[in-house]
Amino acid sequence: MSRLTIYLGVLLLSFVSCNQETKQAENTKSVKNDNLVDLVNPLMGTDSDYSLSNGNTYPAIATPWAMNFWTPQTAKMGDGWTYAYDAKKIRGIKQTHQPSPWINDYAAFSLMAVTGDLKFQEDERASWFSHKAETVKPYHYSVYLADYDVKAEVAPTERAAHFKFTFPEAEQSYILLDAFFKGSMVKIIPEERKIIGYCRNNSGGVPENFNNYFVAEFDHDFEITNTWHDDWKLQKNVKNSEGNHVGAIIGFKTNRGDVVHVKVASSFISPEQAQLNLDREIGEDSFEDTKDKAKQAWNKELNRIEIEDDNSDHIRTFYSCLYRVLLFPRKFYEFDVNNNIVHYSPYNGKVLSGYMFTDNGFWDTFRAVFPFFNMMYPELNSHIMEGLANTYKESGWLPEWASPGHRDCMIGSNSAPIIVDAFLKGNVKEKDVDVLFEAILKNATVEDGRPVNSVGRAGLDYYNTLGYVPNNVDIKENAARTLEYAYADFTISEMAKKLGKQELAEKFEKQSLNYNHLFDPSTGLMRGKNEDGSFQYPFNPLKWGDAFTEGNSLHYTWSVFHDVQGLVNLMGGNDAFISKLDGVFTMPPKFDDSYYGHTIHEIREMQVVNMGNYAHGNQPIQHMIYLYNFAGAPYKTQERIREVLTKLYSAKPDGYCGDEDNGQTSAWYVFSSLGFYPVTPGINQYVIGSPLFKKATLHLENGNTFEIHSENNSRGNFYIQSVDLNEAVYNNTYLNYETVQNGGVLKFNLTNTANTEWGSKLENAPYSLNNSIKK
């Protein structure tokens, strides 16, 4: 087959024969990138459940970084696994803000259509459906509700959505608005063809006055107006209802093919703001207008990276992953009547000016999502940084897991690398610099007053006194905390240097070497340490949890992002380091799950993919493959990268190998398929792997383009024979941030035989603090 550019990738989805593909391509060359979004499969990762995650995603029908998403709901209200690919029935299409099934949802409500006898309770109203009669695009969802002979569709905007229901001939047709539990209100206004109300459901992290105000406008008169009250109590001809769980029912007689449109918007600020959001974002637009605008919004962003290759499956996987990277963090701000940016604060309950973003776990996303924003979306990231400054001003602390306010989930002090990486790359506005630096210093120096345990640093006083968080002082995941705090200290030092605060820079650089306290020479691994300086005993490197977070010592030992050379030295040099890396892949997938008392899904996901103890389905080890570059064996990185890219990812419902987690597992794929990865956010380097595609073009925000070519790239050709950068021989195993931003051409020559000499010298290795200190 001849080499196909991305537009042929689109055509492969619709045409079978090569002749048909060629003929159609000739007709579409001029609009080759208008349909990139149609390569995206929002169902990627939805074949998941509590016991095994193939992504733990739901199909997000949304625009990039939107305040509201919409998704079909197969699960019961309150179930974090809101959409399961193997489910048979749909209960409605709901507005969702869920970042993860483990964090669950907030401010959700749903619409559903039924015909015939009225069924409004969620189990009774659920309709059989089939994926054969389901269309799932980021900008459009359509499903046939078989029990009611109704076609239900939705198209999104940032804060609103346009529904389209196509009914059969029926004496009684209904549209239900379920305002969900934990506090809700509905009011039907027939003369305005409108339902207004609010919902308060949440899973934590909200002030007392939290409300999601909604407005739904119909293009049909109401012949029936009912509501329900708590315990599904039907209230016929009652237009108002307020309680724990209420909803609205409007109905009418329909002829076959009758279409009812519903325009819906919401606001965290006020009912008036919800109406303003609706008028602004949809107004008089038709359903097709809304759908087309959402499609254009996605194509605009997806076109920032153009892929050329002859493997359409890989192309679909790339854009499906990129779609996930561009969903979170969520815009949690609105535009007031004067078009000023304002937000309801999920921290103090006030309506304030400025940006706010939410629904993000930094333990996951500091690794690759935010470095991707710094590379491709610096302006957006400056807004996110302003949002972090506002969070600090409104709550007194930086978030580590926000949804929508502070949530007690995961560990670390990973707001620091996110802020520092943005600052060092010029993506923090001057007015926010001092506030953010004050905030990350507070995290590193103040333990009292933290709103939840995940915010700030649990065990900080021990860490600052001993240089580590002890294992025997009832602070869980202590070794993982120590390693992550040490890396955060490194990033604080880098920001202090840039700000000219030399004393602070030296202090935190010294603290960043605290990882040394946990290294056990007898095992060559990181190990929990007790308050008296003795190592945790007994020690099983295969034991998940305990001193570590959702992993074991084999996974967390490599979490010395800033000083890999220091870790190499501790292990006894390159050969010992490489041997230890190899061992993780070559050993059986044995594990000890005694800490949890059962086999958690992260363990099972490691076990089933036949890659030894390499647990790519969880974040702590995702950078590990790139560490061969630091020890003079980049060819080993190249072979492992290609294996993970082609074995563990696909644009299918089971297309991930673990939790997708706010774009992080997707961002790993996006970066790695391009040929490099940000092992150490907070410095200006990406570590080189092996590109998946024959050509990729990055359209940078500054107007420059950076092209990545890989000659002779094929299924078996993934080893780097040589590299040219802007037509000059290039032997370094890293790529500078400035090199990408300045634009240019990076050309890989790939082969099927490892070149053990390329990039093997110490001078070609990526940054390590240890080497920097020596210099």
Side-chain angles (χ1 to χ4, degrees):
M1 182 181 293
S2 61
R3 181 175 177 181
L4 304 175
T5 53
I6 187 63
Y7 61 89
L8 289 181
V10 178
L11 296 172
L12 281 170
L13 304 180
S14 305
F15 296 92
V16 178
S17 75
C18 291
N19 288 338
Q20 286 175 310
E21 290 167 9
T22 303
K23 187 177 295 183
Q24 185 69 13
E26 291 173 354
N27 295 329
T28 59
K29 285 182 180 179
S30 63
V31 290
K32 63 179 182 180
N33 294 324
D34 281 1
N35 294 302
L36 282 186
V37 67
D38 289 323
L39 291 173
V40 172
N41 184 7
L43 295 178
M44 182 177 174
T46 60
D47 186 10
S48 303
D49 59 32
Y50 178 88
S51 65
L52 184 73
S53 172
N54 288 309
N56 267 338
T57 64
Y58 56 85
I61 315 304
T63 58
W65 305 289
M67 190 176 86
N68 304 322
F69 299 170
W70 296 85
T71 194
Q73 180 188 353
T74 63
K76 289 187 176 182
M77 175 180 61
D79 187 333
W81 283 263
T82 186
Y83 179 96
Y85 185 77
D86 63 357
K88 304 297 190 294
K89 291 185 175 183
I90 283 182
R91 291 175 163 83
I93 299 174
K94 77 167 182 173
Q95 184 184 103
T96 180
H97 305 90
Q98 179 171 298
S100 159
W102 310 104
I103 291 292
N104 215 303
D105 210 348
Y106 65 91
F109 64 94
S110 72
L111 275 72
M112 179 64 175
V114 302
T115 58
D117 295 337
L118 176 60
K119 298 177 181 178
F120 64 95
Q121 297 185 31
E122 66 170 348
D123 288 338
E124 293 179 354
R125 76 184 185 225
S127 172
W128 282 80
F129 82 106
S130 169
H131 299 302
K132 299 177 182 67
E134 182 186 42
T135 299
V136 190
K137 303 290 183 184
Y139 60 90
H140 176 223
Y141 179 79
S142 173
V143 66
Y144 178 64
L145 304 174
D147 287 340
Y148 307 115
D149 194 19
V150 170
K151 183 178 180 181
E153 302 177 70
V154 64
T157 73
E158 285 192 346
R159 297 166 189 85
H162 206 145
F163 281 80
K164 178 182 179 181
F165 296 99
T166 305
F167 284 96
E169 183 173 349
E171 288 295 319
Q172 294 177 313
S173 293
Y174 304 95
I175 295 176
L176 321 174
L177 192 157
D178 190 336
F180 281 32
F181 61 174
K182 299 185 180 180
S184 49
M185 183 276 283
V186 293
K187 180 180 180 181
I188 303 172
I189 310 174
E191 61 273 18
E192 298 181 31
R193 295 174 169 176
K194 189 180 293 186
I195 300 173
I196 63 172
Y198 64 74
C199 56
R200 292 176 46 80
N201 58 87
N202 65 84
S203 304
V206 299
E208 285 297 317
N209 67 345
F210 174 77
N211 286 283
N212 184 25
Y213 302 98
F214 54 77
V215 54
E217 293 182 352
F218 296 72
D219 66 352
H220 271 56
D221 291 330
F222 307 158
E223 298 173 15
I224 299 170
T225 54
N226 301 327
T227 57
W228 74 79
H229 202 260
D230 295 345
D231 300 319
W232 301 104
K233 182 181 178 182
L234 181 63
Q235 301 179 132
K236 288 188 175 182
N237 302 316
V238 175
K239 299 179 182 65
N240 298 279
S241 190
E242 187 172 14
N244 177 62
H245 176 197
V246 304
I249 304 164
I250 59 96
F252 24 68
K253 181 179 179 179
T254 57
N255 296 313
R256 185 159 195 81
D258 278 356
V259 173
V260 177
H261 293 94
V262 190
K263 298 175 180 179
V264 186
S266 64
S267 169
F268 295 104
I269 294 173
S270 68
E272 295 77 16
Q273 182 67 44
Q275 184 68 56
L276 184 59
N277 292 343
L278 182 61
D279 295 341
R280 273 219 185 101
E281 297 193 7
I282 297 182
E284 299 301 317
D285 284 355
S286 68
F287 181 82
E288 290 302 318
D289 290 337
T290 304
K291 176 180 165 183
D292 288 346
K293 286 180 179 180
K295 184 175 184 178
Q296 291 168 21
W298 277 110
N299 278 326
K300 175 186 174 184
E301 305 307 341
L302 297 178
N303 269 290
R304 296 287 296 275
I305 302 180
E306 290 185 82
I307 301 298
E308 298 181 31
D309 200 80
D310 53 14
N311 190 313
S312 59
D313 288 336
H314 291 165
I315 292 170
R316 282 181 290 199
T317 303
F318 179 87
Y319 284 107
S320 296
C321 286
L322 184 55
Y323 149 79
R324 290 282 168 193
V325 177
L326 305 184
L327 287 172
F328 296 102
R330 178 186 315 287
K331 295 176 180 177
F332 204 75
Y333 61 86
E334 304 173 54
F335 295 88
D336 69 12
V337 68
N338 297 314
N339 218 32
N340 296 313
I341 296 170
V342 294
H343 65 270
Y344 166 81
S345 172
Y347 302 99
N348 63 22
K350 298 177 181 178
V351 177
L352 301 166
S353 63
Y355 289 102
M356 178 62 63
F357 291 79
T358 191
D359 290 327
N360 220 250
F362 292 165
W363 184 82
D364 304 293
T365 55
F366 86 85
R367 304 166 194 269
V369 173
F370 282 92
F372 183 78
F373 293 164
N374 281 324
M375 182 174 75
M376 297 301 299
Y377 292 97
E379 183 179 7
L380 168 76
N381 212 29
S382 73
H383 297 162
I384 296 172
M385 293 306 111
E386 180 181 329
L388 291 180
N390 287 334
T391 295
Y392 178 68
K393 289 184 280 189
E394 292 162 25
S395 75
W397 296 88
L398 288 168
E400 297 296 336
W401 230 121
S403 181
H406 293 304
R407 299 289 296 278
D408 190 8
C409 184
M410 306 312 293
I411 68 155
S413 191
N414 298 306
S415 52
I418 284 172
I419 290 167
V420 173
D421 197 40
F423 169 73
L424 294 176
K425 292 176 171 63
N427 300 330
V428 176
K429 294 177 181 176
E430 186 175 352
K431 68 182 181 63
D432 298 320
V433 171
D434 290 343
V435 172
L436 290 173
F437 190 65
E438 175 187 313
I440 62 176
L441 281 182
K442 182 176 180 179
N443 273 6
T445 55
V446 178
E447 184 166 14
D448 293 338
R450 296 177 301 119
V452 294
N453 198 47
S454 64
V455 166
R457 299 186 181 187
L460 175 66
D461 291 342
Y462 288 110
Y463 176 82
N464 285 347
T465 302
L466 301 173
Y468 61 93
V469 181
N471 180 73
N472 60 339
V473 295
D474 199 30
I475 299 176
K476 297 177 181 179
E477 303 160 279
N478 39 82
R481 293 181 192 276
T482 299
L483 293 170
E484 294 194 21
Y485 296 168
Y487 167 58
D489 284 343
F490 166 78
T491 63
I492 294 172
S493 173
E494 292 297 294
M495 187 168 181
K497 286 178 188 175
K498 186 70 176 288
L499 292 173
K501 302 178 185 293
Q502 193 57 34
E503 187 175 340
L504 282 173
E506 291 173 1
K507 171 188 174 181
F508 283 101
E509 182 175 287
K510 182 179 179 181
Q511 286 186 192
S512 78
L513 298 175
N514 281 340
Y515 70 86
N516 285 274
H517 291 295
L518 298 190
F519 186 78
D520 173 17
S522 69
T523 62
L525 296 168
M526 297 295 175
R527 185 171 173 182
K529 180 174 276 190
N530 296 320
E531 191 174 5
D532 64 4
S534 62
F535 281 113
Q536 177 188 10
Y537 182 85
F539 172 65
N540 179 359
L542 300 180
K543 185 177 183 180
W544 283 61
D546 198 358
F548 301 98
T549 301
E550 295 181 1
N552 59 34
S553 179
L554 293 177
H555 305 146
Y556 254 96
T557 290
W558 316 103
S559 293
V560 187
F561 307 95
H562 57 296
D563 195 16
V564 180
Q565 184 61 52
L567 185 60
V568 170
N569 296 344
L570 287 175
M571 288 188 177
N574 285 350
D575 290 344
F577 184 82
I578 291 169
S579 177
K580 191 73 73 174
L581 284 170
D582 286 344
V584 174
F585 293 101
T586 58
M587 69 181 299
K590 294 181 179 180
F591 57 86
D592 175 355
D593 63 5
S594 60
Y595 176 77
Y596 301 106
H598 67 284
T599 305
I600 62 174
H601 75 95
E602 290 90 350
I603 296 176
R604 193 69 72 203
E605 289 142 20
M606 176 200 76
Q607 180 191 31
V608 299
V609 298
N610 192 26
M611 291 189 73
N613 243 261
Y614 178 69
H616 188 83
N618 209 23
Q619 282 67 38
I621 205 170
Q622 287 181 350
H623 69 294
M624 172 194 153
I625 289 177
Y626 286 91
L627 301 190
Y628 288 107
N629 287 278
F630 294 80
Y635 68 93
K636 286 180 173 281
T637 288
Q638 295 152 27
E639 61 190 27
R640 294 294 185 188
I641 289 293
R642 184 60 65 94
E643 182 181 11
V644 174
L645 286 171
T646 57
K647 178 179 178 178
L648 302 187
Y649 289 83
S650 66
K652 298 177 182 178
D654 65 347
Y656 293 104
C657 57
D659 281 358
E660 199 285 320
D661 282 331
N662 301 154
Q664 169 53 32
T665 301
S666 292
W668 187 95
Y669 184 95
V670 169
F671 264 120
S672 296
S673 66
L674 293 175
F676 50 90
Y677 185 80
V679 168
T680 313
I683 65 165
N684 69 332
Q685 291 180 359
Y686 308 104
V687 180
I688 289 176
S690 177
L692 181 62
F693 301 112
K694 293 185 175 179
K695 183 181 177 183
T697 303
L698 310 184
H699 297 281
L700 302 166
E701 201 167 88
N702 61 15
N704 295 333
T705 59
F706 188 75
E707 295 181 7
I708 304 157
H709 299 253
S710 48
E711 302 296 329
N712 306 313
N713 196 343
S714 68
R715 184 175 182 179
N717 288 5
F718 48 78
Y719 289 111
I720 295 175
Q721 179 64 32
S722 62
V723 179
D724 290 340
L725 176 61
N726 297 328
E727 300 184 347
V729 173
Y730 192 77
N731 290 317
N732 293 332
T733 62
Y734 61 88
L735 194 64
N736 284 338
Y737 168 81
E738 294 81 5
T739 299
V740 175
Q741 292 300 310
N742 289 337
V745 178
L746 181 69
K747 187 175 291 185
F748 293 90
N749 182 19
L750 302 182
T751 182
N752 60 3
T753 304
N755 180 353
T756 59
E757 295 300 315
W758 182 84
S760 62
K761 298 179 181 178
L762 180 60
E763 65 198 53
N764 303 133
Y767 172 91
S768 283
L769 177 61
N770 200 275
N771 291 335
S772 175
I773 292 173
K774 288 179 181 178
K775 290 177 183 178

